Amino acid sequence: MVPLCFEKSMWTVVAVLAVMEAGGAFTLTHPSQPEARLQMIGLDVGAKVVLTSGSHALLGSRVAPTAKVHVASRETFDGEPSPINSLPSVPASTTMYIFSTSGSTGKRKGVVISHTNYTSGALPLSVEVDYDEGSRVLDFVSYTFDVIIDFMMCTLILGDCTYVSSDEARIDDFSGVIRSMNVNMAHMTPSVARVLEPHNFPQLKILGLGGEAVLARDAANGIVDVAEHNCLVPIGAVGELLVEGPVVDHYSFIENLT
Ligand SMILES: *[C@@H]1O[C@H](CO)[C@@H](O)[C@H](O)[C@H]1NC(C)=O
């Protein structure tokens, strides 16, 4: 079980893939989380290895004091010979990640998701959300929200590329990132979308809103069509929500270990 502690960076995606391919399971954290919380996560998941970035190596070593800390960065791999070990074949029942949450009750939980659990939801989801080989996806959401795993994985499964906006660009030049990277799919909170005014970005084909209540005016940009059952009904109207499948059906929890 490997906690990842990176600022927003492409190296998180590299680390996620590395852990999965090695047959391990990852848990995502962000260096801005309180150190005590990071340590609880390290303890809850029984971390033996921590992967972190060059700039957070010290923090990474404090996440789990007895774990081995590895830095994933360009410098780590520069001049390194290609590894000769072949990777194990990973059974589908292997745990893929644990997502730690403080839960609505304030009691800590870890949601344990296997490869089977995850792919049963992610494969149909990536089709439904219209990921395709032209998808240029903005990786904007914080690592403390589990939807970020979908943005990484669905893009890798079906999409073209993912653009990871740095923590600074997320705050300072968000519109610049969308324009310069020619992003055509982005997911964000409605309040960020309100500031951005998505109609300023004609190349943005898919805008996912979540994490906060969506107001009628947020969704007024074309997704509402009452005559078409595949489209959302207007906010406030009576609708139906179907949620099913292994990824929501059955969670295993690590409950409050301390
Ligand atoms: C989730 O994955 C585990 C391990 O593969 C499996 O035993 C469990 O049945 C899966 N949950 C559901 C609801 O399919």
Side-chain angles (χ1 to χ4, degrees):
M1 182 53 58
V2 184
L4 310 186
C5 189
F6 290 83
E7 67 279 16
K8 287 296 285 187
S9 142
M10 64 166 251
W11 291 101
T12 312
V13 185
V14 173
V16 161
L17 284 178
V19 172
M20 283 168 53
E21 299 233 356
F26 62 87
T27 187
L28 291 176
T29 69
H30 189 270
S32 66
Q33 288 177 278
E35 198 170 314
R37 169 96 184 111
L38 295 175
Q39 284 168 344
M40 276 181 219
I41 294 173
L43 195 66
D44 284 351
V45 301
K48 301 227 166 27
V49 176
V50 174
L51 293 183
T52 185
S53 65
S55 41
H56 292 289
L58 215 58
L59 178 64
S61 65
R62 294 199 296 259
V63 170
T66 56
K68 274 194 181 162
V69 178
H70 294 289
V71 169
S73 67
R74 199 166 298 283
E75 294 74 47
T76 315
F77 299 105
D78 272 351
E80 282 285 313
S82 304
I84 43 170
N85 298 344
S86 58
L87 290 163
S89 147
V90 180
S93 58
T94 308
T95 300
M96 177 178 154
Y97 66 87
I98 293 184
F99 197 80
S100 297
T101 157
S102 51
S104 43
T105 58
K107 208 173 162 192
R108 290 195 336 267
K109 294 190 183 88
V111 182
V112 182
I113 299 289
S114 70
H115 286 263
T116 315
N117 299 155
Y118 183 73
T119 47
S120 68
L123 294 178
L125 178 116
S126 48
V127 173
E128 284 300 320
V129 179
D130 271 347
Y131 281 85
D132 61 27
E133 65 280 1
S135 299
R136 303 162 68 83
V137 183
L138 184 67
D139 177 337
F140 162 73
V141 176
S142 160
Y143 294 138
T144 55
F145 292 107
D146 58 353
V147 288
I148 187 67
I149 296 169
D150 288 341
F151 306 149
M152 293 189 228
M153 290 300 149
C154 295
T155 311
L156 290 170
I157 294 167
L158 275 186
D160 178 12
C161 42
T162 173
Y163 292 99
V164 186
S165 68
S166 66
D167 285 321
E168 299 76 41
R170 286 175 73 211
I171 296 162
D172 297 338
D173 188 24
F174 195 55
S175 331
V177 173
I178 294 188
R179 271 204 197 87
S180 61
M181 298 302 179
N182 204 15
V183 162
N184 58 20
M185 185 190 286
H187 308 263
M188 60 190 73
T189 57
S191 42
V192 173
R194 261 169 240 145
V195 175
L196 269 185
E197 301 184 6
H199 59 264
N200 290 330
F201 304 95
Q203 83 279 22
L204 200 57
K205 287 202 302 215
I206 294 172
L207 173 67
L209 299 177
E212 291 169 1
V214 179
L215 304 178
R217 66 191 164 97
D218 299 325
N221 277 328
I223 57 166
V224 178
D225 181 351
V226 282
E228 167 58 69
H229 77 271
N230 280 324
C231 294
L232 295 178
V233 293
I235 290 177
V238 175
E240 187 178 58
L241 181 64
L242 175 66
V243 184
E244 65 172 6
V247 79
V248 292
D249 195 28
H250 173 263
Y251 289 128
S252 310
F253 293 112
I254 309 174
E255 295 248 8
N256 217 15
L257 294 182
T258 52

